[in-house]
Amino acid sequence: MDQPYSAERIEREAQDYWETQQSFVVREDPGRPKFYCLSMFPYPSGRLHMGHVRNYTLGDVISRWRRMEGKLVLQPMGWDAFGLPAENAALQNGVPPARWTYDNIAYMREQLKRLGFGYDWSRELATCRPEYYRWEQWLFTRLYARGLAYKATAPVNWCPTDQTVLANEQVVDGRCWRCDTPVERREIPQWFLRITAYADELLADLERLPGWPERVLTMQRNWIGRSEGAEIEFAVDGREPLKIFTTRPDTLMGVTYLAVAPEHPLALAAAAARPEVARFVAASRVAQTAEAALETMEKHGVDTGFFARHPLTGRPIPIFAANFVLMSYGEGAVMAVPAHDERDHAFARRYGLPMTVVIVPEGHVGATEDLIRDAAYTQPGVLVHSGEFDGLSSAVARERIIAALAARGAGTARTHYRLRDWGVSRQRYWGTPIPIINCAHCGAVPVPDADLPVVLPEDVVPAARGGSPLKARADFLAATCPRCGREAVRETDTFDTFMESSWYYARYCSKDNQQAMLDERAAYWLPVDQYIGGIEHAILHLLYARFFNKLLRDEGLIGVDEPFTRLLTQGMVLKDGSKMSKSKGNTVDPQALIASYGADTARLFMMFAAPPEQSLEWSDEAVAGAHRFLKRLWALGGAIATLGRHSALAPDQALRREMHRLVDQAVRDYERYHFNTVIASCMSLVNLLQRLAEDAAVKPALGPLAWEGFGLVLRLLAPIVPHITHVLWRDLAMGEGAIIDAPWPAADPAALVQEEITIVVQVNGRRRGEVRVPAASTSADVEALALADAGVQRHLEGRSPRKVVVVPGRLINIVA
RNA sequence: GCCCGAGUGGCGGAAUGGUAGACGCAAAGGACUUAAAAUCCUUCGACCGCAAGGUCGUGCCGGUUCGAGUCCGGCCUCGGGCACCA
């Protein structure tokens, strides 16, 4: 401790201690309160980035803090190891995705260890290992048996030059990122999980997640998008009727056309007869699948020449083919009410289609056409031009119109979800093989349990063109139909990587079990008490994980309804105001930070620079500032060591009160997860203790107070900067064991008692002074003192108070 | 286009509807030093004033309230998500 602060030495000593003591390896103990703290596992991209450092520091701070509070803490770590970047890397350097991934994991594991995170490494898992994904395959076959997995067609981005499916990310401005060819939309058969069967429960259970940020709950609610409406059948002369869904059955009498997808049988039939429809259908193939692209593209259409019959009036309604209608959503057809829907309005204008106003605001006078001159009228209102429904409100009309449809067998009330079933097929190599054998006679047959896992060959280097390399692997492809025993071929599609990340939180509990997916240990640890990750996962990952939890529950594998009790969504790490990214060239490598300042400085900076949920602006100067604080803390330890530890004299009460006030503040801020203000309080404590240590040289009675304060601040800082506090605690012999096992501190309530307090005095809401009053003063006492104040009298300018508002213990406002 | 957030000193940020700017960074001045670095001390929202003190100030416009950074309505800008990046 006489030596200057050396992060490298200190951090090695602390980490050696945790390693030899196996400090973070945990076993279930039903007699103790458990705390499962989980950070979203990383994709092994090669090196940690600042977002990881922030995420994992937050998780580690919470874990260590709960442990000091007396909880049995599980904090595991693993690797979300399947995914597209490994294939992209393979294209660049010819290394198999497996090799690249395992090398990355090895490097990043060392980085995590160097940062001092308290993980139970005995539970480490990588999702690309057969012993992990075999259970995912097993679960899929169970879901298939229960009808929760099924096959249907869905659109993909297709590059006609490379003859391959592109991810949305690989489509740039509507073109292939490699060869610049305009991307086409293709409908191909794919596997789906029936998440919509759980839509109601996924929506309802959001109410049972008070530990989640409100904005995430709102986003999920909107994403699921439950809406009440009607399913309506429009008869088509000489063809199958069209089934459509609408949330606005009250506008039914205003329907002036229908629109079908370009791939719809009706559009294809029209294309055979009319060249302009054929041209339109062909042109519509050049399109993307992303919703953002779909919503912002030019809306085009063409008259198919077919007519539908209005279900109530029998009036003929023209049917258009339109590029914004997708075949795979619903029935591939929509009804259009241009007077009351923005998109229909714009489309009708473009093609000179009629608009009929059927809803007007209550009390509307004048021509109804004026209502929709510039835009559709989308609010509810009163019905007009709707025959027998005229004069009804939108709400009543919905019921009546649905009843009228039902009476004719042409429609029914229906609940609809924006949420769509989850397409889990990927036409890629580096993923979990879908455990299906395609037999010419029996169709898609699930692989029997005894034949699982279906192992992905790891010696493959994928190519840019031509789709999955598994199609060229005879050893992988060849299979025998489990049902009829004839020759068959294995499914070559792999799972969406969101599948693996949807249940890893449970597998950590039973990681070594080769006989079952999960066991009783999962029952002990689940649910996760605290989950921590980026806000960018607010919808997809978190919704899929919630869905999987319910699937696992319904398979009898776990007992809880929701996987994550509390959720912390951390903000991004920015530099110069924007997200760090290779393309922007504004990245800062955490490795350099660790090398020059050490893990504690990195952790301290990350926790101090912003509250967890906000974005964090990178600053080299602020990092240096964090390091400076650690040097001061170290030097303070040296100064404290020279002071007397015991004294018969009473400590300075005012100083002790200030000390415990700061401790109290820090403890409260831990509860709120405001680690930046925890650190602010600790800095104030260190400032106070520095002055105190100087004064103690001449006033020995201050020695014990300095020791007390230092013991408190070390423990408050221990979760954030565990290395330096470990060594200082040990070298100053602050307690029996290591600081990681020391009890969590609390402010001494006796020290916090004040005899006199300061009350702020306002006149008409503006601060005009303050008065010192005994802590036990009544409102009347405070008012009398405030009114006697010279400054108050001056600002009253002779007026008498009309009203006096007293906030006990804080403030008095005199209104004159 | 749709859904969800965020905007406070030169900078990061603090503030259960109750003293706006805690804590830190940067900057300026000073101490120590032959000098520099390191360290320590002081000042630090804008404007008026010698001072006491006062006025203005939390993206913009409006509202609720004794009192609004905080609540409500409308805008602007930036960020996240939009189902095949993870």
Side-chain angles (χ1 to χ4, degrees), chain A residues 437-442 477-482 484-490:
Chain A
I437 291 166
N438 294 308
C439 170
H441 304 89
C442 307
L477 221 49
T480 310
C481 174
C484 70
R486 282 184 269 208
E487 268 186 31
V489 286
R490 211 172 276 290

Side-chain angles (χ1 to χ4, degrees), chain A residues 322-338:
Chain A
N323 63 347
F324 56 85
V325 183
L326 284 190
M327 193 56 217
S328 46
Y329 302 164
E331 306 273 335
V334 298
M335 74 176 210
V337 186

Side-chain angles (χ1 to χ4, degrees), chain A residues 386-647:
Chain A
S386 296
E388 58 177 302
F389 305 107
D390 278 358
L392 298 178
S393 71
S394 286
V396 174
R398 294 169 72 93
E399 308 302 324
R400 295 278 186 85
I401 288 174
I402 289 169
L405 287 167
R408 288 169 170 77
T412 165
R414 191 155 155 199
T415 301
H416 177 79
Y417 297 92
R418 205 188 77 93
L419 178 69
R420 306 193 299 262
D421 275 340
W422 177 11
V424 294
S425 294
R426 297 292 179 268
Q427 295 70 44
R428 310 202 187 288
Y429 155 68
W430 189 233
T432 300
I434 297 180
I436 291 287
I437 291 166
N438 294 308
C439 170
H441 304 89
C442 307
V445 180
V447 174
D449 292 359
D451 297 340
L452 293 177
V454 177
V455 177
L456 185 75
E458 293 197 345
D459 56 350
V460 172
V461 183
R465 311 174 125 228
S468 175
L470 291 176
K471 290 193 187 298
R473 288 284 295 234
D475 57 339
F476 179 84
L477 221 49
T480 310
C481 174
R483 195 161 294 162
C484 70
R486 282 184 269 208
E487 268 186 31
V489 286
R490 211 172 276 290
E491 174 67 60
T492 55
D493 279 6
T494 51
F495 281 136
D496 179 4
T497 57
F498 274 125
M499 289 277 280
E500 288 84 62
S501 54
S502 292
W503 65 284
Y504 76 109
Y505 63 89
R507 183 62 181 174
Y508 279 132
C509 305
S510 312
K511 182 245 175 179
D512 55 8
N513 194 332
Q514 299 306 313
Q515 316 309 318
M517 189 174 191
L518 300 171
D519 54 38
E520 70 288 348
R521 291 172 294 177
Y524 175 82
W525 289 112
L526 294 177
V528 172
D529 295 278
Q530 178 67 61
Y531 196 31
I532 304 136
I535 183 67
E536 66 272 20
H537 295 295
I539 297 175
L540 292 179
H541 162 61
L542 287 167
L543 190 67
Y544 292 145
R546 292 183 58 223
F547 171 49
F548 250 70
N549 186 85
K550 294 176 192 301
L551 294 175
L552 294 170
R553 178 200 61 193
D554 292 347
E555 280 301 324
L557 294 166
I558 55 176
V560 295
D561 293 324
E562 285 288 333
F564 314 123
T565 305
R566 278 185 83 162
L567 174 69
L568 178 61
T569 49
Q570 121 242 2
M572 290 185 310
V573 181
L574 310 179
K575 185 160 187 287
D576 309 320
S578 61
K579 186 177 176 171
M580 282 190 187
S581 74
K582 276 182 211 144
S583 58
K584 292 200 190 85
N586 64 344
T587 55
V588 180
D589 189 349
Q591 202 57 36
L593 171 62
I594 298 164
S596 47
Y597 291 109
D600 279 342
T601 296
R603 299 169 59 120
L604 182 65
F605 166 74
M606 284 290 171
M607 293 300 99
F608 184 55
E613 310 233 58
Q614 277 180 37
S615 58
L616 179 153
E617 178 69 30
W618 175 264
S619 160
D620 291 316
E621 292 81 9
V623 171
H627 189 68
R628 205 147 51 219
F629 172 72
L630 293 178
K631 285 202 283 191
R632 283 173 53 209
L633 183 71
W634 184 258
L636 178 62
I640 299 278
T642 65
L643 301 178
R645 234 169 161 155
H646 305 286
S647 165

Side-chain angles (χ1 to χ4, degrees), chain A residues 176-361:
Chain A
C176 173
W177 69 344
R178 298 183 62 85
C179 65
D180 216 35
T181 310
V183 166
E184 297 180 3
R185 195 162 65 200
R186 273 204 178 183
E187 294 276 341
I188 62 170
Q190 314 215 50
W191 286 96
F192 287 83
L193 293 187
R194 212 177 289 281
I195 190 172
T196 52
Y198 285 79
D200 261 327
E201 197 194 345
L202 287 167
L203 183 65
D205 282 358
L206 291 172
E207 307 294 336
R208 296 163 56 187
L209 294 173
W212 281 38
E214 197 52 51
R215 64 165 152 161
V216 176
L217 299 176
T218 304
M219 282 190 264
Q220 292 222 346
R221 235 171 248 131
N222 292 340
W223 185 260
I224 295 168
R226 186 189 153 104
S227 58
E228 309 289 342
E231 188 175 77
I232 304 175
E233 238 177 58
F234 286 78
V236 181
D237 302 339
R239 298 193 67 91
E240 288 283 295
L242 286 176
K243 222 186 261 178
I244 64 96
F245 174 83
T246 178
T247 56
R248 292 293 303 274
D250 54 317
T251 65
L252 180 63
M253 303 309 261
V255 173
T256 56
Y257 62 98
L258 301 186
V260 298
E263 302 89 352
H264 195 279
L266 214 56
L268 299 179
R274 299 180 167 212
E276 75 272 20
V277 179
R279 276 197 299 277
F280 175 79
V281 168
S284 295
R285 269 200 287 273
V286 179
Q288 296 166 253
T289 59
E291 186 184 298
L294 197 67
E295 291 286 328
T296 50
M297 73 181 179
E298 289 272 338
K299 311 289 189 291
H300 289 290
V302 65
D303 193 342
T304 62
F306 286 106
F307 284 89
R309 295 278 159 194
H310 192 282
L312 296 184
T313 66
R315 171 167 52 89
I317 299 169
I319 301 173
F320 275 66
N323 63 347
F324 56 85
V325 183
L326 284 190
M327 193 56 217
S328 46
Y329 302 164
E331 306 273 335
V334 298
M335 74 176 210
V337 186
H340 304 293
D341 178 274
E342 278 311 335
R343 190 178 63 188
D344 298 345
H345 189 272
F347 189 86
R349 247 199 201 172
R350 162 169 285 203
Y351 292 103
L353 296 164
M355 307 191 195
T356 309
V357 174
V358 292
I359 309 282
V360 295

